[in-house]
Amino acid sequence: MSTPSLKLVSACFIKPYPPIQDSNQICYLSSWDICMLSANYIQKGLLFKKPTSSPNQQHFIDNLVDKLKHSLSLTLFHFYPLSGRLVTHKTQHPPSYTVFIDCKNSPGAKFTHATLDITVNDILSPIDVPPIVHSFFDHHKAVNHDGHTMSLLSIQVTELLDGVFIGCSMNHSLGDGTAYWNFFNTLSKTFQNSTNTIPLSVSHQPIHNRWFPEGYGPIINLPFKHHDEFIHMYEAPIMRERFFHFSAESIAKLKAKANKESNTTKISSFQSLSALVWRSITRARQLQHDHITTCKLAINNRMRMEPPLPKEYFGNSIHTLSTETTVRELLENDIGWAAWKIHLAVVNHEDKVVRGLVEKWLKSPYVYRLDTFFDPNTVMMGSSPRFNMYGNEFGMGKALAVRSGYANKFDGKITSYPGQEGGGSIDLEVCLSPDTMMVLESDEEFMNSVSVFNPLF
């Protein structure tokens, strides 16, 4: 039986309303933004059940699409860089290469309406995330540098037989997860008040002035002559993608266990969960005991700086923390030992460290490459269960699930989400080679902490 294919209904570009002012035409990129140029777009979206109370399903969908387009236009008034395109300015004498955002001279953000003849159950019931989910997102496999010719933001509404998926692809050189979900949350609030014809005042007004250390910016010259020197098209290996659910009760037990074993009260819930995942995947990989294994975490720099950057800072302000040890040490010690190593890496990431890393980059700029940034023995914890994902509503009630696209995945990439039922529960999207995933699914310590939850019941 063949897999149904996505059918395009319509596509268009949406500009901010009211139009942006000339004073906002150019937006410069910080060091945190530029180093993302060879990574993929952020791709996250929400799965909803169609309301059964609507007697005319076609009218419901047409109304949903129209309201979303209108809401996007009003939201882009506040998030105007997302309607632009990347521009590169090069000179030969002296040699310089500068990338910035032209916010005005652009067709706008992209909006796509598509259909797919599958059900909500076809997405949520399989053990692994079905590959068809990747088609719910535009800009498949695009890297951020492609934002010179592609839209920096693309919203795709995919109508299923009994549901709707709203997927968003946002150029990662424009912002991180905090910026992404601020935009998505604002879009949702605007939709819920979409009878307005002027932009609403928003509770978390984005701040578009990029941060630079004193003496630097706003223009950063890169040591390149052509983008071929730093852009690499990454191809993900064959992997299984699976969601594991951890209830609030299970998380609390993990935290208590980690703190007791380390004789402390300072280890957080997420640090405890990260320790469990690091140890379990390393064990499942069956590595030689003298090999080095690394646990990496994406961390938000905003509140770690002095003075702190506002949470409304729209751009990238993240760093990847690392803690490492030998496979033998990790597996011969307990979860508390591993969690304490992670805890120390987190608490030591403060203002002086952040500024030092930025200044080091500015003296010798580089761009991240997924094929070299993560070695095969790494476990990388990305995203955050603190992001407001399930508070977004578009006239269909609470979302059933969050799903992601192809972007930025590799063997050992773990993406964290809040659990659908809330209360401190966490969902982990785990990407592993088929062999490693099969061993992990039989790992007693790991599976004893995994909880059963089905949003359909």
Side-chain angles (χ1 to χ4, degrees):
M1 183 176 178
S2 61
T3 303
S5 58
L6 195 81
K7 296 177 183 176
L8 178 66
V9 177
S10 65
C12 64
F13 290 95
I14 306 291
K15 287 193 171 187
Y17 183 82
I20 64 171
Q21 303 299 311
D22 287 341
S23 59
N24 294 330
Q25 182 166 331
I26 299 299
C27 183
Y28 292 101
L29 299 178
S30 73
S31 60
W32 293 320
D33 303 320
I34 292 170
C35 65
M36 293 289 188
L37 284 171
S38 196
N40 298 128
Y41 279 54
I42 300 176
Q43 294 181 322
K44 301 285 189 297
L46 297 167
L47 176 66
F48 297 92
K49 187 82 171 174
K50 278 182 184 174
T52 54
S53 58
S54 179
N56 188 328
Q57 288 293 313
Q58 190 57 53
H59 175 74
F60 166 76
I61 291 295
D62 291 344
N63 188 50
L64 171 68
V65 169
D66 288 343
K67 285 182 68 175
L68 266 171
K69 288 179 181 178
H70 176 64
S71 302
L72 177 58
S73 182
L74 297 179
T75 304
L76 287 172
F77 174 78
H78 300 289
F79 294 82
Y80 58 88
L82 293 174
S83 65
R85 293 290 185 276
L86 296 183
V87 174
T88 290
H89 179 72
K90 291 186 284 188
T91 61
Q92 298 297 326
H93 305 290
S96 69
Y97 190 108
T98 305
V99 182
F100 57 91
I101 308 165
D102 185 337
C103 305
K104 194 169 185 181
N105 297 309
S106 158
K110 191 175 176 184
F111 188 98
T112 303
H113 175 202
T115 62
L116 184 63
D117 291 340
I118 64 172
T119 66
V120 164
N121 201 50
D122 291 330
I123 297 171
L124 298 183
S125 289
I127 292 175
D128 291 355
V129 178
I132 194 71
V133 168
H134 291 176
S135 71
F136 295 166
F137 299 90
D138 196 18
H139 297 346
H140 182 60
K141 297 187 178 182
V143 297
N144 298 311
H145 190 270
D146 292 330
H148 284 79
T149 55
M150 292 181 173
S151 63
L152 301 179
L153 176 77
S154 183
I155 303 290
Q156 180 175 316
V157 177
T158 305
E159 179 188 357
L160 310 179
L161 293 174
D162 60 348
V164 174
F165 192 92
I166 300 177
C168 176
S169 302
M170 188 184 91
N171 193 293
H172 209 330
S173 285
L174 267 70
D176 52 21
T178 300
Y180 178 94
W181 287 108
N182 188 18
F183 161 76
F184 210 108
N185 297 159
T186 305
L187 177 64
S188 169
K189 290 174 183 175
T190 304
F191 180 93
Q192 293 170 45
N193 294 277
S194 61
T195 54
N196 290 309
T197 57
I198 58 173
L200 299 170
S201 59
V202 297
S203 55
H204 296 290
Q205 180 69 40
I207 296 169
H208 297 294
N209 292 331
R210 295 304 203 269
W211 177 84
F212 301 93
E214 189 174 346
Y216 292 96
I219 298 173
I220 296 177
N221 288 326
L222 298 174
F224 307 111
K225 295 180 180 178
H226 193 275
H227 64 258
D228 286 346
E229 297 177 46
F230 62 91
I231 298 301
H232 177 262
M233 303 302 290
Y234 170 77
E235 191 74 27
I238 295 174
M239 295 182 297
R240 287 178 56 192
E241 298 178 28
R242 179 176 173 181
F243 272 76
F244 293 95
H245 177 68
F246 297 84
S247 67
E249 181 184 9
S250 178
I251 296 289
K253 287 180 180 178
L254 269 176
K255 179 180 178 180
K257 176 180 171 63
N259 277 287
K260 182 179 180 181
E261 290 174 347
S262 289
N263 193 27
T264 184
T265 58
K266 296 180 179 180
I267 297 172
S268 72
S269 297
F270 192 71
Q271 291 162 10
S272 306
L273 181 59
S274 298
L276 171 73
V277 172
W278 184 21
R279 294 179 78 252
S280 301
I281 290 178
T282 301
R283 187 162 50 234
R285 283 173 167 163
Q286 300 175 343
L287 304 170
Q288 294 183 24
H289 279 198
D290 59 345
H291 282 193
I292 297 295
T293 177
T294 306
C295 182
K296 296 191 174 187
L297 292 87
I299 192 165
N300 186 348
N301 291 325
R302 289 170 178 80
M303 301 307 294
R304 298 182 176 276
M305 301 181 67
E306 297 176 6
L309 287 177
K311 58 184 177 182
E312 293 83 7
Y313 175 85
F314 192 84
N316 286 282
S317 183
I318 53 174
H319 183 72
T320 302
L321 292 184
S322 294
T323 184
E324 64 178 38
T325 185
T326 63
V327 173
R328 176 178 286 106
E329 270 197 313
L330 181 64
L331 299 185
E332 288 182 352
N333 286 289
D334 51 29
I335 286 178
W337 183 87
W340 184 250
K341 283 186 69 69
I342 294 169
H343 170 78
L344 290 178
V346 172
V347 297
N348 289 332
H349 189 72
E350 39 82 40
D351 179 76
K352 185 177 180 181
V353 173
V354 174
R355 292 175 182 273
L357 289 168
V358 171
E359 293 192 13
K360 182 180 179 182
W361 185 94
L362 287 164
K363 291 174 182 176
S364 183
Y366 59 90
V367 172
Y368 295 136
R369 282 182 51 165
L370 284 179
D371 62 327
T372 59
F373 194 63
F374 301 100
D375 68 68
N377 297 351
T378 292
V379 170
M380 169 69 196
M381 307 292 293
S383 192
S384 171
R386 294 181 178 179
F387 293 145
N388 177 16
M389 302 182 190
Y390 287 103
N392 298 290
E393 294 197 14
F394 298 93
M396 295 171 283
K398 187 177 180 180
L400 298 174
V402 183
R403 290 294 182 265
S404 66
Y406 170 91
N408 301 309
K409 290 178 178 174
F410 49 87
D411 185 354
K413 173 67 180 294
I414 317 298
T415 306
S416 356
Y417 306 92
Q420 199 264 3
E421 79 271 35
S425 60
I426 296 176
D427 285 338
L428 295 182
E429 177 192 62
V430 178
C431 298
L432 291 172
S433 70
D435 289 345
T436 303
M437 183 71 83
M438 185 172 63
V439 179
L440 180 68
E441 291 168 332
S442 301
D443 187 280
E444 186 174 346
E445 183 182 39
F446 181 77
M447 294 305 294
N448 282 346
S449 293
V450 173
S451 312
V452 177
F453 176 75
N454 189 335
L456 292 175
F457 300 102

